[in-house]
Amino acid sequence: MTGAAGRPAREEAPGAGPYRHEFTVPAEALDGNGHVNNVVYVQWMQDGATRHAEASGGTALAAADGGTWVVRSHRVEYLRSALAGDAVALVTWVSDFRKVRSLRRYRFLRIADGAVLAEGETDWVYLDAATGRPRTIPADLQRALQADRPPPEKPARVERLR
């Protein structure tokens, strides 16, 4: 992902709110309909989760604990089209933890007008990296990843795909 308007991608570290990553939609992300392919959004979600985990220290904490994360499920709701050249902000945060699972949410915004392009969530499972068996998420890892607060609610009026 490249940054908006030719600049390097912009990232904000956690602590002051959700993790935010800004980038420009590349032409190769488009499908035959001329907008961003649905599979690309899932890749961006995973990339955003990885960037957030690294920026918050979560990746290092999981490695020190001998743990790793795997995806149980993804859900994406597409609200508006994103096109090549659009400057987009991916906002992500962890909304809750259960014993071995974590629910991460995502929001894609078009920077020019603040339009919500898509929203999604991923249900992650924390595993013992050596055995592949689910394992309890350590409290320090939860604190590192959940230092964020969710963004404001999405606008009431939603324009459907072009």
Side-chain angles (χ1 to χ4, degrees):
M1 290 185 247
T2 59
R7 297 182 306 268
R10 184 173 147 227
E11 300 178 11
E12 293 181 14
Y19 180 80
R20 181 180 173 110
H21 174 71
E22 295 180 2
F23 59 96
T24 300
V25 175
E28 52 273 7
L30 304 185
D31 61 17
N33 294 316
H35 55 72
V36 174
N37 186 285
N38 59 328
V39 174
V40 172
Y41 277 99
V42 174
Q43 182 65 58
W44 288 345
M45 289 165 56
Q46 181 151 333
D47 292 347
T50 300
R51 289 173 184 272
H52 179 212
E54 289 171 359
S56 67
T59 300
L61 288 168
D65 183 55
T68 191
W69 294 97
V70 295
V71 171
R72 183 170 187 258
S73 65
H74 289 294
R75 184 195 67 77
V76 185
E77 182 177 5
Y78 306 99
L79 303 170
R80 298 182 185 175
S81 296
L83 308 173
D86 281 350
V88 173
L90 163 59
V91 182
T92 184
W93 66 98
V94 175
S95 66
D96 79 317
F97 288 97
R98 288 145 295 173
K99 184 175 181 177
V100 300
R101 291 170 45 194
S102 168
L103 185 64
R104 175 178 288 279
R105 297 188 188 274
Y106 309 85
R107 185 170 295 154
F108 293 89
L109 306 166
R110 186 170 39 236
I111 294 171
D113 61 2
V116 178
L117 303 172
E119 293 186 316
E121 62 186 32
T122 302
D123 190 15
W124 292 89
V125 179
Y126 190 65
L127 302 178
D128 182 302
T131 67
R133 297 183 54 88
R135 123 188 250 178
T136 301
I137 304 165
D140 59 342
L141 180 54
Q142 290 184 37
R143 282 189 299 276
L145 294 174
Q146 205 170 27
D148 308 317
R149 292 175 295 287
E153 290 301 312
K154 67 182 174 186
R157 181 173 172 263
V158 175
E159 179 184 318
R160 293 296 168 190
L161 294 172
R162 295 181 206 169

